Amino acid sequence: AQTVTQSQPEMSVQEAETVTLSCTYDTSESNYYLFWYKQPPSRQMILVIRQEAYKQQNATENRFSVNFQKAAKSFSLKISDSQLGDTAMYFCAFMITTSGTYKYIFGTGTRLKVLA
Amino acid sequence: DARVTQTPRHKVTEMGQEVTMRCQPILGHNTVFWYRQTMMQGLELLAYFRNRAPLDDSGMPKDRFSAEMPDATLATLKIQPSEPRDSAVYFCASADRTSGRFDEQFFGPGTRLTVL
């Protein structure tokens, strides 16, 4: 079964500090793509960062970076210099291709609150 | 800038009524997804289309839900008859399978449906 587990339902961090959100996943596929999405109170799902599983180098987008451990099936998100605007739900997800179709699996989310 | 649009943004209806939600994918995107988000189930994929043809609708209750793409600029999700358990936020997302970042989905703002 393809699953994504986010073990931290809620987290908080002080403004300007660093926080790490955990994500583990399970798949028997060898080629897949991993994502972190942000959903602020506006409900809009925004792609934060993506990682191709065949690439060993961890993806980075400004203050956001990932720690991708393929063998451990772990894909954590690090937010540096946290800002109030980072307050949101964060969803970890991955995509696999099966027989020409694409399947996306999402985790249940981590609610992050950045404190002033 | 290019974005996915969804109408209506909010819909309140009574049980038994027909509900139609519309999505306009990003121009040139050839793949469209419909998701449902609830507190209990999280984000679930209902159906998706490529080049207007349905590729996977296994997540959709067939007896009351239907999804179509009458043309490349419009996707619809219909519920008939609606039930209180259908209350959720419904997201549309689109992707360009011909691009180098074919795995990347762009989400619309969602339709919040309340069935009384």
Side-chain angles (χ1 to χ4, degrees):
Chain A
Q2 328 276 359
T3 58
V4 176
T5 301
Q6 294 180 249
S7 58
Q8 306 150 312
E10 291 187 3
M11 296 188 72
S12 61
V13 63
Q14 288 293 136
E15 197 175 7
E17 297 293 306
T18 295
V19 64
T20 299
L21 309 184
S22 301
C23 172
T24 58
Y25 59 93
D26 190 22
T27 180
S28 55
E29 302 290 327
S30 57
N31 189 28
Y32 48 89
Y33 297 79
L34 295 151
F35 311 91
W36 278 97
Y37 282 91
K38 169 184 176 181
Q39 188 178 39
S42 66
R43 291 202 317 256
Q44 179 75 53
M45 292 283 283
I46 303 163
L47 179 65
V48 174
I49 199 165
R50 66 187 276 276
Q51 172 85 40
E52 293 140 315
Y54 62 86
K55 287 188 177 178
Q56 291 186 331
Q57 185 172 4
N58 289 323
T60 299
E61 291 284 345
N62 300 315
R63 298 182 294 106
F64 299 88
S65 61
V66 297
N67 183 4
F68 175 44
Q69 303 288 329
K70 191 171 185 178
K73 295 182 179 174
S74 170
F75 183 62
S76 60
L77 174 70
K78 185 171 85 171
I79 306 174
S80 304
D81 186 25
S82 298
Q83 300 176 358
L84 296 178
D86 296 333
T87 293
M89 280 288 285
Y90 287 82
F91 293 93
C92 177
F94 73 89
M95 185 205 85
I96 58 171
T97 61
T98 306
S99 303
T101 64
Y102 297 81
K103 190 172 179 111
Y104 291 85
I105 311 295
F106 283 79
T108 52
T110 294
R111 186 176 302 279
L112 176 68
K113 189 168 185 177
V114 180
L115 307 171
Chain B
D1 62 318
R3 59 183 66 188
V4 176
T5 59
Q6 289 185 247
T7 56
R9 292 293 310 276
H10 300 90
K11 175 74 176 178
V12 180
T13 190
E14 292 189 346
M15 184 173 64
Q17 297 297 304
E18 178 179 296
V19 175
T20 299
M21 291 169 270
R22 294 177 174 79
C23 166
Q24 184 171 11
I26 292 173
L27 192 63
H29 282 194
N30 61 354
T31 306
V32 174
F33 304 82
W34 281 106
Y35 288 92
R36 175 170 63 183
Q37 185 178 37
T38 61
M39 289 292 291
M40 295 300 294
Q41 301 295 329
L43 204 61
E44 305 170 276
L45 178 65
L46 296 175
Y48 88 92
F49 295 77
R50 186 184 304 156
N51 297 324
R52 297 174 56 199
L55 281 195
D56 186 354
D57 60 1
S58 59
M60 201 164 66
K62 301 291 192 306
D63 56 339
R64 298 182 299 107
F65 284 62
S66 61
E68 294 180 344
M69 274 201 79
D71 62 60
T73 63
L74 177 65
T76 62
L77 179 67
K78 191 174 294 187
I79 308 174
Q80 168 63 17
S82 57
E83 297 181 1
R85 59 182 167 147
D86 301 329
S87 296
V89 180
Y90 291 82
F91 286 99
C92 173
S94 71
D96 180 1
R97 289 294 178 234
T98 63
S99 78
R101 289 171 69 105
F102 63 91
D103 53 291
E104 187 172 347
Q105 299 178 92
F106 295 81
F107 281 81
T111 294
R112 180 180 289 280
L113 173 66
T114 303
V115 183
L116 303 175

